[in-house]
Every structure is written in structure tokens, then in C-alpha cells.
Amino acid sequence: GAVVSQHPSRVICKSGTSVKIECRSLDFQATTMFWYRQFPKQSLMLMATSNEGSKATYEQGVEKDKFLINHASLTLSTLTVTSAHPEDSSFYICSARRQGARNTEAFFGQGTRLTVV
Amino acid sequence: DAKTTQPNSMESNEEEPVHLPCNHSTISGTDYIHWYRQLPSQGPEYVIHGLTSNVNNRMASLAIAEDRKSSTLILHRATLRDAAVYYCILRDRGESGGGADGLTFGKGTHLIIQP
């Protein structure tokens, strides 16, 4: 089956530094990828929609200057958490669907556990 | 996306069937019913989806009520590896862009499997 790979799976960084998370679709092309955030004991919340070759679309309340998204190719999207603070500590998950696929399954990465100290 | 309601948690014994309910009384005629599950510390995983007829795959079965206002995910023989949070999500069949919208996750049902 299709695979979406996220890297790194776990990262610890100091407050004020930036962290980049990569999301790759390994065997299909994805015009659109999605980034979610999940705090402990809570559900996934959509942060932004990453569009290949154009600007990302952010959900209300998500700071676009803090969470930089780049979707440079049909198989790679990156999320950079800039000037991270302890409140940004969370589980970040990306998702992708096959290009042109209507109402089919979404494939998720394994998630990245970010801890800001 | 239309709202779904699921029990917060359910418990079952290993090797027994599990029926996970989902209510979606405001479902529209163009909404598909999707189920995903999330194992601890992992990203969600697709389980099954359907529109009107019952569906079966290697992981589970999906039973959809005749009025489509509720559905039940059936795990025929639960194992310890099925312990996860199960999410029932409605997706509009008419969505544009071939998957342009992210999924709206509710709180899901935390399934506990007893050995």
C-alpha cells in the first residue's frame, strides 16, 4: 500500500530554535498534503493544507509565520516550526492522498514528537 | 463536515467481536462514512469507508443503517493490536480538487482490549 514517511520521528530542541519536519509520499504523487497537530489526550487538529508549487492554506488560529510550510515537489512537504517554545511541544502528523483521487483513503505519516525545552 | 458522535471508550475481550457505533444524524446524501484508527504514538491508519451499502475488507466490516444516520464498525475477532482510538469521519462525496480538504477528527472511541 501507499506509504507516507515522516522524519524525524522524535526531536528535542531548545526554546528559540527552529525545527524542520519532512513529509514524503514514497510511492505516489501528492498535489496536496496536510499537517495536523495533536496535544496529549486530544484529537488531531488540522493546521494547514500544503499545496505543491503554491502557498499553504492555514486554519484559523495557526500562525503562518511561525509554522512555515514548503511543498516544493509532488512527493515532499516540509513544516518548519520557527522560534519554538515549550507550548509548541506536540505530536505533528502529515497526511497525503493520491493526486486526483476523490474520496479515497488518506495516508498518514508516523508522526513527529516535538519537545521544546 | 457533518458531526459524528461516538462513545468515549469501549472495552472488549481478546478474540471476541467488537462493535463500535457512530451516530451521524445530520449526514447529507453526499457524505461518505470513513473510519480511521490511531494506535498509541502513531499516525492514523485508514480502516474502511462506505456510502450506503455494508462494506467488508481485510481489517473490518462497516454496517450502515438504512437511514444512514448511524453506522457500526465491526472487528470480527479483536486482538491486542486492535487497541487504538477509532475515529468515524464524514466526507463529502462532492469534494473538489481530488482530496483538497483535510479530515476533521472528533474525539473518537478509545478501544481497550483485555487479554
Side-chain angles (χ1 to χ4, degrees):
Chain A
V3 176
V4 171
S5 177
Q6 240 180 284
H7 179 80
S9 58
R10 186 179 295 268
V11 59
I12 300 172
C13 72
K14 290 185 178 180
S15 187
T17 62
S18 296
V19 173
K20 181 186 283 189
I21 303 169
E22 291 188 347
C23 179
R24 294 180 184 274
S25 56
L26 297 185
D27 59 356
F28 66 97
Q29 294 185 329
T31 307
T32 306
M33 291 185 176
F34 305 95
W35 288 95
Y36 297 82
R37 180 169 54 183
Q38 185 175 33
F39 291 107
K41 298 192 184 304
Q42 294 188 23
S43 191
L44 283 79
M45 294 296 293
L46 180 66
M47 297 175 65
T49 301
S50 171
N51 303 299
E52 188 266 337
S54 65
K55 291 183 179 180
T57 306
Y58 291 82
E59 295 299 302
Q60 192 172 6
V62 178
E63 300 174 58
K64 60 180 171 61
D65 294 330
K66 181 170 184 62
F67 299 99
L68 301 179
I69 291 173
N70 183 278
H71 194 151
S73 76
L74 287 171
T75 59
L76 174 65
S77 175
T78 60
L79 168 69
T80 301
V81 183
T82 63
S83 186
H85 291 284
E87 57 265 30
D88 298 321
S89 298
S90 188
F91 193 50
Y92 292 86
I93 306 165
C94 71
S95 170
R97 296 168 78 168
R98 293 182 185 275
Q99 186 178 359
R102 278 182 170 267
N103 221 302
T104 57
E105 62 188 286
F107 300 97
F108 289 83
Q110 64 268 49
T112 297
R113 177 80 57 193
L114 171 63
T115 303
V116 185
V117 297
Chain B
D1 293 326
K3 184 179 171 62
T4 62
T5 304
Q6 299 176 253
N8 289 334
S9 66
M10 289 185 66
E11 207 167 303
S12 181
N13 294 320
E14 196 176 11
E15 298 189 6
E16 290 186 357
V18 179
H19 291 232
L20 297 166
C22 180
N23 286 321
H24 29 78
S25 59
T26 60
I27 191 170
S28 75
T30 56
D31 284 334
Y32 275 85
I33 302 158
H34 286 244
W35 283 81
Y36 285 79
R37 71 180 186 181
Q38 186 179 23
L39 279 65
S41 298
Q42 295 187 30
E45 172 187 31
Y46 168 82
V47 178
I48 200 167
H49 77 282
L51 183 63
T52 56
S53 303
N54 294 345
V55 184
N56 299 295
N57 66 19
R58 64 175 179 82
M59 288 182 70
S61 295
L62 177 60
I64 301 172
E66 198 169 330
D67 63 5
R68 300 208 327 123
K69 293 185 176 182
S70 66
S71 60
T72 302
L73 179 71
I74 303 166
L75 306 179
H76 295 285
R77 196 162 166 265
T79 69
L80 295 177
R81 287 176 294 181
D82 291 321
V85 179
Y86 286 78
Y87 298 98
C88 170
I89 300 170
L90 301 183
R91 297 289 288 150
D92 190 341
R93 176 176 60 184
E95 62 172 346
S96 62
D101 299 329
L103 296 176
T104 301
F105 286 82
K107 295 184 178 180
T109 296
H110 183 198
L111 176 63
I112 299 164
I113 305 296
Q114 298 289 356

